[in-house]
């Protein structure tokens, strides 16, 4: 599973917190600040990453609502029909583009972590590695 994290630079701490949690669960996470090689056209790189991601985790906040770059990412994700999972970190109202999407109130606690994994269709096993339903079925059939 490939997850793209969309966020306002002002909220980098929360984006990294969620990225680290997902990585610890064995999920492949793209966060722009760590994964764009020098000299790459960053806008094309981000567009390609959105297109090849399975889902977008949107870190939603007042700062996100004011970010033109985040709005471009969100628009690309909608055009590509990607699953978008808004994770609210403050009480900012949603834009019409995403107001119909169920959000997760991110508190970095057990409940918000479980809600995020459930929204991604992932379950955490005892070994703390994520397994999608389809990969669990494959593992079962191969036994």
């Amino acid at each position: 599973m490939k997850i793209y994290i969309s966020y306002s630079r002002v909220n980098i701490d929360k984006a990294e917190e969620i990225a680290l949690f997902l990585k610890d669960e064995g999920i492949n996470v793209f966060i722009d600040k760590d994964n764009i090689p020098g000299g790459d056209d960053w806008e094309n790189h981000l567009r390609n990453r959105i297109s090849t991601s399975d889902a977008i985790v949107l870190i939603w906040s007042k700062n996100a609502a004011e970010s033109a770059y985040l709005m471009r990412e969100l628009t690309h994700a909608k055009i590509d029909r990607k699953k978008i999972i808004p994770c609210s970190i403050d009480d900012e109202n949603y834009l019409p583009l995403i107001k119909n999407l169920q959000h997760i109130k991110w508190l970095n606690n057990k409940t918000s972590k479980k809600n995020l994994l459930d929204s991604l269709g992932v379950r955490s096993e005892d070994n703390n590695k994520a397994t999608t339903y389809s990969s669990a079925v494959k593992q079962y059939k191969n036994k």
Side-chain angles (χ1 to χ4, degrees):
M1 172 167 277
K2 294 179 187 176
I3 302 302
Y4 183 100
I5 298 199
S6 183
Y7 66 99
S8 163
R9 281 277 186 223
V10 177
N11 302 126
I12 185 68
D13 57 332
K14 291 295 182 184
E16 288 177 330
E17 179 180 282
I18 291 172
L20 181 61
F21 163 66
L22 293 173
K23 286 177 184 178
D24 285 349
E25 290 294 321
I27 297 171
N28 182 350
V29 177
F30 176 83
I31 187 166
D32 66 347
K33 78 168 209 58
D34 295 330
N35 296 314
I36 301 177
D40 271 13
D41 178 328
W42 61 268
E43 197 161 7
N44 282 336
H45 191 92
L46 296 179
R47 177 73 176 98
N48 289 335
R49 287 298 189 131
I50 290 168
S51 293
T52 60
S53 292
D54 297 305
I56 311 301
V57 172
L58 173 64
I59 312 302
W60 188 252
S61 67
K62 181 179 185 326
N63 297 309
E66 297 171 355
S67 171
Y69 289 115
L70 185 136
M71 291 306 130
R72 275 198 244 171
E73 292 175 356
L74 187 55
T75 301
H76 288 308
K78 289 291 261 186
I79 290 168
D80 288 347
R81 297 177 185 245
K82 297 297 177 179
K83 180 172 186 165
I84 300 169
I85 303 166
C87 291
S88 301
I89 60 172
D90 63 21
D91 293 324
E92 181 62 23
N93 291 326
Y94 286 101
L95 297 175
L97 191 61
I98 59 169
K99 74 177 184 176
N100 64 321
L101 301 177
Q102 182 63 34
H103 75 277
I104 295 168
K105 181 68 175 171
W106 183 258
L107 301 171
N108 196 22
N109 62 16
K110 188 175 181 177
T111 301
S112 56
K113 289 176 179 181
K114 180 186 181 312
N115 289 342
L116 181 53
L117 290 178
D118 288 349
S119 295
L120 291 170
V122 171
R123 64 181 173 84
S124 183
E125 296 180 339
D126 293 340
N127 67 358
N128 207 31
K129 295 296 175 202
T131 304
T132 63
Y133 175 77
S134 59
S135 64
V137 169
K138 285 179 189 173
Q139 288 173 0
Y140 176 76
K141 287 181 178 179
N142 290 331
K143 287 186 177 182

